[in-house]
Amino acid sequence: MIELAGSDIGRWIAGYLWVLFRIGAVLMTMPVIGTQLLPMRIRLYLALALTALVAPQIAEVPQLEPLALSTWVVIAEQILIGASMGFLLQLLFQIHVIAGQIVAMQMGLGFASMNDPAMGVSVAVVAQVFTMLVTLLFLALNGHLVVIEVLVESFTTLPIGQTLQAVDFHTLVLRFSWVMASALLIGLPAITALLIVNLSFGVMMRAAPQLNIFSIGFPLTLVFGLFILWVLLGNAAGQYHLLASEALIWLREMVGAR
């Protein structure tokens, strides 16, 4: 008969529980897996499966009392680390959402919105196209596997029980400016082309005031906008590769991974 002491049971539970908190926080906040497209039960099963694989590979975890304040501090640290990693990945997707919103407003499709099943909010149709495109590229280029690799390596660079002073959250805050600048760069070609189209309509209206610019300009702007959007999507893979590379590099820097 196998007899287990209370300390052995506590050590065994803690070894898996701390890992589960960090992995679960990442899976609940990261793109694709952390969206409403994937049921909560599936995310929980995936977190449990990754925990069962990762926990035996990490170093010894600290032994803490279940109701002690230090235990809750460790829990909060693991959740905060995991949520920060998922939030940084969300910035990569929100870049394309903002770019799609900007292009939609310029081409006259800002009013055409639909429900985003991933986030549960209404977004412009163009932004939804950008979101679906970046989601497919993220999965096709094995972005989810890279995230899991960095997550597993974070248990070595940021051991459980280590204070949050080693995590560079200041760098995470500075990424907001990167989001807006990158979104503007993605939509800048379309914005410039549509601006030239609108200026041409202004010259036409000035030269021939009898023309009804509203009945002529809106359909033409929409047609030109769709053509420009088609040209813009031709280089979407290259732009996504650059932005995804930066995002994953920053993710590694945040957790101190190589």
Side-chain angles (χ1 to χ4, degrees), residues 46-132:
L46 183 58
L48 291 174
L50 289 176
T51 301
L53 294 174
V54 174
Q57 310 299 326
I58 65 175
E60 190 72 17
V61 298
Q63 300 301 312
L64 302 172
E65 293 294 330
L67 299 179
L69 179 60
S70 57
T71 302
W72 296 102
V73 172
V74 172
I75 292 175
E77 288 179 354
Q78 304 313 306
I79 295 176
L80 185 57
I81 292 172
S84 300
M85 295 175 64
F87 178 72
L88 184 57
L89 293 171
Q90 286 286 356
L91 295 182
L92 174 63
F93 279 63
Q94 294 307 312
I95 287 171
H96 296 81
V97 174
I98 296 174
Q101 295 277 9
I102 294 173
V103 175
M105 292 297 294
Q106 292 295 319
M107 63 186 296
L109 285 179
F111 65 90
S113 61
M114 62 180 295
N115 183 60
D116 184 4
M119 306 300 295
V121 296
S122 295
V123 297
V125 176
V126 179
Q128 186 65 15
V129 172
F130 276 68
T131 302
M132 291 187 292

Side-chain angles (χ1 to χ4, degrees), residues 143-154:
H144 56 295
L145 299 181
V146 177
V147 173
I148 294 176
E149 179 185 357
V150 176
L151 174 61
V152 174
E153 193 172 351
S154 69

Side-chain angles (χ1 to χ4, degrees), residues 78-233:
Q78 304 313 306
I79 295 176
L80 185 57
I81 292 172
S84 300
M85 295 175 64
F87 178 72
L88 184 57
L89 293 171
Q90 286 286 356
L91 295 182
L92 174 63
F93 279 63
Q94 294 307 312
I95 287 171
H96 296 81
V97 174
I98 296 174
Q101 295 277 9
I102 294 173
V103 175
M105 292 297 294
Q106 292 295 319
M107 63 186 296
L109 285 179
F111 65 90
S113 61
M114 62 180 295
N115 183 60
D116 184 4
M119 306 300 295
V121 296
S122 295
V123 297
V125 176
V126 179
Q128 186 65 15
V129 172
F130 276 68
T131 302
M132 291 187 292
L133 178 63
V134 72
T135 300
L136 294 176
L137 289 173
F138 182 78
L139 296 175
L141 298 178
N142 294 328
H144 56 295
L145 299 181
V146 177
V147 173
I148 294 176
E149 179 185 357
V150 176
L151 174 61
V152 174
E153 193 172 351
S154 69
F155 288 101
T156 302
T157 58
L158 293 175
I160 298 175
Q162 181 175 334
T163 59
L164 291 179
Q165 295 178 355
V167 184
D168 190 5
F169 290 102
H170 178 67
T171 303
L172 182 62
V173 176
L174 295 178
R175 300 314 178 198
F176 286 107
S177 59
W178 170 71
V179 171
M180 299 304 298
S182 301
L184 183 60
L185 289 176
I186 292 176
L188 190 59
I191 295 172
T192 305
L194 291 172
L195 179 61
I196 296 174
V197 172
N198 291 328
L199 290 176
S200 302
F201 287 144
V203 174
M204 291 173 57
M205 186 64 183
R206 188 68 175 176
Q210 65 274 14
L211 291 176
N212 190 351
I213 195 63
F214 293 102
S215 60
I216 299 176
F218 179 74
L220 290 178
T221 303
L222 186 58
V223 171
F224 278 113
L226 292 176
F227 174 75
I228 294 168
L229 184 62
W230 173 62
V231 175
L232 184 64
L233 292 178

